[in-house]
Amino acid sequence: PTPVEKPRRHIRRERCRRAGRVGAIVDVREDDARVDRWQGRRKEARVMSIKVGIIGAGGMLRYHAAGFKSAGAEIIAVADTFPEAAKKAAAREGIPNSFGSVEEMLKMPGLDAVSVIVPNKYHAPLALQALKAGKHVFCEKPPAMNAKEAVAMQAAAKAAKKTLMFNFNNRARPE
């Protein structure tokens, strides 16, 4: 079909693809072979072989766990300052290890990355700690409490040669 005949969602797919924002793609039309081929490549690219630890056993853990699992990551640990909360969350989500301190979790062999889902004022200190331990970091928004902390996080990621990402969850919305 010509571009004029395409449904609006196909035009969005193309725009998002050109901008590198793969996450904005949602529904697939089975009758469109081009989109099916592209969607297949997207699924292959999403498969991850990374072991993740989650810092924070609160309510957001289930969403982060589901997201990482759907991307192919293996969640191997959860840490929380309340060890019982970490144990309970680990049992509920099928996570094999729980810790009462972040330091203990960061020493785990095979841990590649951490997801920081704690109150805002702890984002920067925990992200810095994880980066200094040589882990990739996925952090909830806001990144930090001020610009100075955010710059320190960026510098730590660069020095460690690790990825530092923030969960700006509206970045992939189709509208």
Side-chain angles (χ1 to χ4, degrees), residues 70-136:
S70 72
E74 181 184 353
I75 303 169
I76 61 170
V78 62
D80 197 285
T81 54
F82 297 102
E84 289 304 315
K87 282 182 187 175
K88 186 178 176 182
R92 183 182 68 237
E93 298 297 328
I95 301 169
N97 302 292
S98 65
F99 296 94
S101 79
V102 174
E103 295 83 14
E104 290 176 50
M105 185 180 77
L106 291 175
K107 292 177 187 174
M108 261 190 90
L111 182 68
D112 300 312
V114 297
S115 180
V116 179
I117 50 174
V118 296
N120 298 349
K121 66 181 180 178
Y122 301 113
H123 289 178
L126 289 172
L128 289 169
Q129 184 179 359
L131 288 164
K132 288 177 184 171
K135 311 302 178 199
H136 299 286

Side-chain angles (χ1 to χ4, degrees), residues 10-87:
H10 282 207
I11 294 168
R12 282 193 184 134
R13 279 195 182 108
E14 290 175 3
R15 285 183 185 151
C16 293
R17 185 175 170 191
R18 276 186 241 128
R21 294 178 60 197
V22 177
I25 299 359
V26 276
D27 27 319
V28 178
R29 281 186 40 192
E30 296 300 324
D31 60 327
D32 190 337
R34 183 184 53 79
V35 173
D36 287 343
R37 281 193 310 272
W38 185 76
Q39 190 72 9
R41 286 194 306 269
R42 177 175 170 246
K43 286 180 183 172
E44 289 170 15
R46 285 180 53 198
V47 175
M48 299 170 21
S49 58
I50 191 166
K51 294 183 179 177
V52 178
I54 297 178
I55 302 173
M60 291 303 294
L61 177 113
R62 75 179 77 133
Y63 301 107
H64 282 250
F68 283 117
K69 287 176 183 176
S70 72
E74 181 184 353
I75 303 169
I76 61 170
V78 62
D80 197 285
T81 54
F82 297 102
E84 289 304 315
K87 282 182 187 175

